Amino acid sequence: QVELVESGGGLVQAGGSLRLSCGASGRGFSSYAMGWFRQAPGKERENVAGINWSGGTTSYANSVKGRFIISRDNAKNTVDLQMNSLQPEDTAVYYCAAGATIVSVTTKPTYWGQGTQVTVSS
């Protein structure tokens, strides 16, 4: 019973930064682990970050570790993805997701957002 809507995507030059936000509606947001995925043209969807229900635990794909930061604000029912040092290979549609645990949400989420396009120019 969670609806997710991403925002903040756009065009950015290599080396730049972008912040994505995911707004959640429905009951029990604070009980869900959240995650971000991305899917580039011609490639499979991959997890890039996860965060547990309280925000005390985070996880990142090796390709984005040290550059991306996931955070959440349960009072606002939002989860953000701060993306720094962006590179052309980061170009993809980015999806917000929700699940029971940080492990399950990063592998097989229960809920998905519609996605937002991020394009990084060289």
Side-chain angles (χ1 to χ4, degrees):
Q1 293 183 345
V2 175
E3 296 181 357
L4 307 173
V5 180
E6 302 93 335
S7 63
L11 176 65
V12 64
Q13 294 183 358
S17 298
L18 202 63
R19 181 183 291 105
L20 305 182
S21 183
C22 174
S25 62
R27 299 181 184 275
F29 174 79
S30 298
S31 298
Y32 289 98
M34 303 294 294
W36 286 95
F37 290 72
R38 67 185 182 186
Q39 188 164 23
K43 299 185 64 177
E44 64 184 19
R45 190 172 300 185
E46 63 175 347
N47 173 254
V48 297
I51 188 167
N52 77 331
W53 69 272
S54 68
T57 303
T58 58
S59 65
Y60 299 93
N62 288 334
S63 59
V64 307
K65 195 170 186 177
R67 299 188 298 120
F68 290 10
I69 301 174
I70 187 172
S71 62
R72 69 188 298 162
D73 187 337
N74 288 344
K76 298 180 180 179
N77 285 7
T78 58
V79 59
D80 289 0
L81 185 68
Q82 177 66 45
M83 305 185 295
N84 301 315
S85 301
L86 284 164
Q87 302 299 314
E89 51 264 40
D90 295 316
T91 295
V93 176
Y94 283 72
Y95 297 89
C96 178
T101 69
I102 191 170
V103 173
S104 63
V105 77
T106 56
T107 56
K108 192 175 182 180
T110 301
Y111 302 101
W112 292 95
Q114 84 290 346
T116 185
Q117 177 70 48
V118 172
T119 303
V120 184
S121 62
S122 60

